[in-house]
Each structure stands twice: as structure tokens, then as C-alpha cells.
Amino acid sequence: MKAESSKGPRGTFSNFGFLMASVGSAVGLGNLWKFPYLTGTNGGGIFVLIYLCILLTVGFACILGEMTIGRFTKLNPIGAYRKIAKKYTFAGVIGVVVAFLIVTYYNIIGGWILKYFFSYVIGQSKVLSTNSEAFFGEFITSPLEPIIWTLVFILINLFILKAGVIRGIERAAKFMMPLLFILLIVTAIRSVTLPGAMDGVRFFLKPDLSELSMSTVSAALGQVFFSLSLGMGITITYGSYLSDTANLEKNAVMVPLFDTAAAILSGFAILPAVFAFGFDPSEGPGLIFVTLPSVFGSMPGGFLFGALFFLLVLFAAITSSLSLLEVPTSYLIDNRNWDRKKAVYVLSIIIFLISIPESLSNGVWQTKFFGMAFFDFVGYIAEAVLMPLCGLMMCIVIGYVWGTDKAAAEIKNNGLMPFKSEMYWKILIKYIAPVLIFGIWLNSTGLLDLLGIK
Ligand code: TRP
């Protein structure tokens, strides 16, 4: 979430500031909304297990890789690839497209969060908790209302950018994010102690091998990239603001650690309650909206707690959507010489226009694209097709064009910093991560089926 153009002199983050900014970008709807519902639709504990395996291999390799490219080149993603591997400049462009596509539906979910926050504020907590499934279903399938909330969410983002209060938002993040963690912990405790919750805990933690499938693995890879904000250049951008004395390896451990903690806590807040209240864990994107109001309804002062909780989720969503928007914005500024104001306004309008059919496809607009509603189809193109491709290119650039030795020299700051996992990382980024990503990508794009391999 940096306002400066990357052409000008680059400010550098303090080490703590970098960690907080990266955690702020990483922790968002991916952790709070997406992780629990994907766990629910992908067989529970087995998804969590595979998620963790991919996180420790591909996730760690890629986040460290992106940070390193960023700090070495001190450039935006496109400039960065142009500098170290000219032929791979398109990898940066893919990243820009991914961020742009994701923000079109991220804002829709942001709008849903806004609606829930607002409903708590105006005292509808009873309605929300007594008939939560019907309430949610009616809301997202109605043609107009979700679009209006999406627009409000976009306008809030615009207002923050226009009023130049980004710094204020960054400062607020320093207490809002810790507060979010505290509320997550309280909610998780309530959820786990509900009668009947243990089935949910078991579902969440105990991997059922019979649920293992390629689609679970694909979903886990996509979620690792989405949640760590990988495969769209944002971590290259953050890395470009890092000082030469920052410990890249440590950051590449800490960011995923906090990010995963948030996701796991959200899982504990939601999945046990799903079983306690008899909801369907494979409900999909509505899981958090259907479940949490019931949890809050079972707490004393739950309406206040619910309002505060959705406010904090809203905050996390806004910090993430702002940095997502920053990816295409800085592309237009740096590479197309647009001015910032024009870039932000034009992008916001286009993003809003695309979000309209996306939102309608949850309800009245039934046209299918390769069997998917438009909302899911855009997500598929961004997350299953383009995002892993961008990550794969990054591994190839580091492993075979720039070279792992040069990258490691950057990480070690020419011998001044320790790099304990050097061997592990080199093997990961050169062999393991690209092979895994490519294999999963072939599967999730459907190419394996097309080639008749399955
Ligand atoms: N990681 C964010 C989340 O979990 C979403 C995200 C994806 C993001 N790419 C990003 C945020 C780029 C900021 C910048 O919700």
C-alpha cells in the first residue's frame, strides 16, 4: 500500500513496518472468509494438511523468491522482471492482470461484509442469527442490493485514496490487526465450546485420506498463493521497499506464520460452530456469513461483538483491496504514464462494471461459462490459470535465468546476513516448487483432461 511511484526515490520500510505491511496485505478475506469455506468444501482436515505441506514448500520458496527479486531490483514487478530476465517481463504483466481480476470479486465480498456490519449496527442481530441461511441466500441472490454494497465498498476505498489517509490506515492497522486476532481467539473459544462442536474440531483437524483428490490439492495451492498474496507481484513490490539489512529469510517465515495463524483461527471460529448448529460444511462462500451470526447469537452481548467483529474483518478487507488495486494502478502510472488520479478512477469504474455481472451471476443471471457462473469463472481464470503461472515463471526466472546463487547472495546481503535454509530453498525454488506448480496447474486448468491423460 505505497503511494509513491516506484520511479521516484524509494522510501524503505523499517523492519517492523515491513512485517506489518506484509501481514496486513496477506491477512484478509482469504484467511477469514475463504480458508474456512474451502476447508469445508474440500473434505476438512485433509485440505488443511495439504495446505500446510504446500505452504512449507511452494509457499515459502515463492514468498522468499518474490521478496528477493523486489529488494534486488528495487523496481515494480514489470520493471523487476525486465531487469533480471527480459524475456519474462510478461510474468509481471500476468501478475497485474491477476490482481485486477481478483479485486473485481474481492470488492463484492467486501460489500457482503459491509452489509453484515451494517445489519449489526442497526440492530438486526436477531434476524441474522435466527434465519441465517435464508437471510444470506436472499441477500446475495437479489439483483440490486449486493451491487449497491459493492459500490459502497469501492467508494470507501476511493475515499481513502482520495483523502490521502493511506498513512492513517497504515497506522490504524497496527492496532486493528492485533484486535482482530484477539476477537478471532474469543470467537474460536466460543465456537469450540458449543455443544456438539467436537465433531467440527475433528472434521477440521483429522485428515480423512479418503477425501484426498487432485481438486483438493489444486484448491490448496490456489489458496496458498491467494492468502500469501503471491503470483501477482505485490510481494516483489513490498520487497523493493526493504532495506539491505533486512533479514529476508526471517520475513519469509514470519509473514506465512501470522497469515496461517489467522486462517487457522478463523477455521476454529467457524467450523466447530457449523457442526454445533447443524449447517452444511460444504456450503461454500456463504459459510462465514451463515455461521458466525449464530455463534454471536449464542454469546452475551453478541450483537456488539458481531458489529465489532465485522468491522475488523471489513478493515482487513479494505487494507487488502487497497493493495490489490495498487498493483494495476502503479502499472498504469509507471508503464503507461497515467497520472495516479486518472488511473485510480478509471480502474475503479471498470472494476465496478465487471463486478455487476459477477454479482448478478450469484442470482438472476444463470448463463454458464464452462459450467461455471460468471463469478466463479473469473475466479477460475485468475486463481487457477494465471496466478500459478505467474508463480511458475518466478521459479524459472530465479532457478534458471537469474540463478539461485545470485539470489542467495542477495538474501545473504553478500555474506552479511545468515541464510540457514539456503540449500533447502535452492532445491525448492529450482526443482520442487516449479514441478509441483506445473503439475497442479495442468490439472486445475483441465489440460490433463484435454490431453486425455486422466
Ligand atoms: N492475501 C489477501 C487475502 O488473503 C488477498 C490478496 C491476494 C491480496 N492478492 C493480494 C492482498 C495482493 C493484497 C495484495 O485476503
Side-chain angles (χ1 to χ4, degrees):
M1 223 200 295
K2 282 270 136 177
E4 301 92 311
S5 145
S6 50
K7 274 183 184 160
R10 278 181 121 65
T12 45
F13 276 118
S14 70
N15 291 345
F16 180 71
F18 176 81
L19 185 62
M20 282 299 115
S22 310
V23 171
S25 148
V27 175
L29 295 175
N31 314 61
L32 306 166
W33 159 72
K34 206 163 187 186
F35 181 81
Y37 97 66
L38 283 179
T39 304
T41 49
N42 286 288
I46 188 73
F47 176 80
V48 179
L49 180 66
I50 294 174
Y51 180 87
L52 293 175
C53 292
I54 296 181
L55 182 81
L56 293 174
T57 51
V58 179
F60 170 68
C62 290
I63 196 167
L64 184 51
E66 281 201 25
M67 282 179 186
T68 308
I69 293 179
R71 193 181 66 181
F72 176 75
T73 59
K74 305 267 191 297
L75 290 169
N76 67 59
I78 294 177
Y81 279 111
R82 191 174 293 140
K83 181 165 170 182
I84 59 173
K86 203 161 185 359
K87 277 196 214 131
Y88 289 82
T89 310
F90 73 94
V93 179
I94 296 178
V96 172
V97 175
V98 173
F100 172 80
L101 291 178
I102 289 183
V103 81
T104 64
Y105 50 91
Y106 209 84
N107 288 339
I108 295 180
I109 316 300
W112 296 357
I113 301 281
L114 202 52
K115 152 92 179 172
Y116 271 65
F117 168 62
F118 183 75
S119 304
Y120 271 103
V121 170
I122 63 169
Q124 285 192 315
S125 66
K126 266 254 140 40
V127 190
L128 289 177
S129 61
T130 41
N131 214 345
S132 57
E133 267 171 323
F135 185 93
F136 177 76
E138 272 164 37
F139 166 58
I140 66 153
T141 53
S142 71
L144 201 58
E145 210 195 332
I147 294 176
I148 292 175
W149 287 110
T150 302
L151 181 61
V152 177
F153 186 82
I154 292 176
L155 290 176
I156 293 176
N157 281 287
L158 271 180
F159 173 81
I160 291 170
L161 291 170
K162 189 163 165 278
V165 291
I166 292 268
R167 293 252 147 244
I169 294 287
E170 279 172 348
R171 239 170 279 137
K174 290 201 175 106
F175 70 87
M176 296 288 256
M177 295 309 272
L179 196 58
L180 175 64
F181 269 84
I182 295 173
L183 256 65
L184 271 175
I185 293 173
V186 175
T187 313
I189 292 174
R190 170 71 277 208
S191 175
V192 172
T193 52
L194 287 164
M198 275 310 133
D199 286 340
V201 175
R202 226 166 285 127
F203 174 79
F204 186 42
L205 296 184
K206 201 160 161 253
D208 175 356
L209 284 176
S210 69
E211 293 277 350
L212 180 60
S213 71
M214 266 318 272
S215 73
T216 304
V217 179
S218 299
L221 180 81
Q223 177 62 10
V224 166
F225 270 84
F226 188 95
S227 196
L228 294 181
S229 316
L230 294 174
M232 53 205 95
I234 192 79
T235 303
I236 294 183
T237 308
Y238 279 132
S240 74
Y241 292 103
L242 262 179
S243 76
D244 288 336
T245 54
N247 186 331
L248 293 178
E249 182 188 37
K250 199 162 123 203
N251 276 300
V253 172
M254 295 298 275
V255 175
L257 205 69
F258 278 108
D259 188 70
T260 306
I264 299 279
L265 278 176
S266 185
F268 272 119
I270 292 165
L271 289 165
V274 166
F275 284 76
F277 290 110
F279 296 125
D280 175 7
S282 61
E283 146 105 30
L287 198 64
I288 172 174
F289 298 96
V290 169
T291 311
L292 282 183
S294 303
V295 180
F296 300 147
S298 72
M299 291 162 60
F303 62 98
L304 259 183
F305 195 90
L308 186 57
F309 188 91
F310 277 105
L311 179 67
L312 292 169
V313 177
L314 182 64
F315 189 84
I318 288 174
T319 57
S320 289
S321 67
L322 282 172
S323 20
L324 274 165
L325 182 64
E326 183 60 20
V327 178
T329 301
S330 51
Y331 167 76
L332 291 173
I333 295 173
D334 291 348
N335 293 64
R336 305 266 164 230
N337 289 318
W338 287 32
D339 69 64
R340 171 165 289 272
K341 216 165 156 194
K342 178 176 161 198
V344 167
Y345 278 112
V346 170
L347 280 170
S348 295
I349 292 171
I350 300 176
I351 286 166
F352 177 60
L353 291 178
I354 297 178
S355 70
I356 294 174
E358 282 173 4
S359 183
L360 291 175
S361 76
N362 285 320
V364 290
W365 187 38
Q366 289 293 338
T367 309
K368 295 279 180 274
F369 297 79
F370 299 95
M372 291 172 259
F374 187 59
F375 184 95
D376 301 317
F377 178 68
V378 178
Y380 165 81
I381 296 290
E383 292 175 37
V385 180
L386 296 178
M387 197 168 62
L389 206 58
C390 190
L392 178 62
M393 292 305 136
M394 202 264 310
C395 295
I396 292 176
V397 164
I398 292 189
Y400 301 92
V401 185
W402 189 31
T404 50
D405 288 337
K406 282 192 202 146
E410 173 64 30
I411 295 170
K412 288 188 285 193
N413 196 4
N414 298 314
L416 293 176
M417 301 300 272
F419 184 16
K420 290 190 213 109
S421 60
E422 180 169 353
M423 268 317 281
Y424 176 62
W425 181 73
K426 281 181 172 171
I427 295 170
L428 279 176
I429 197 107
K430 200 163 176 179
Y431 306 107
I432 299 178
V435 169
L436 280 177
I437 297 173
F438 186 63
I440 298 171
W441 182 83
L442 276 181
N443 173 67
S444 59
T445 51
L447 280 174
L448 275 187
D449 301 306
L450 276 183
L451 298 170
I453 296 180
K454 252 202 287 194

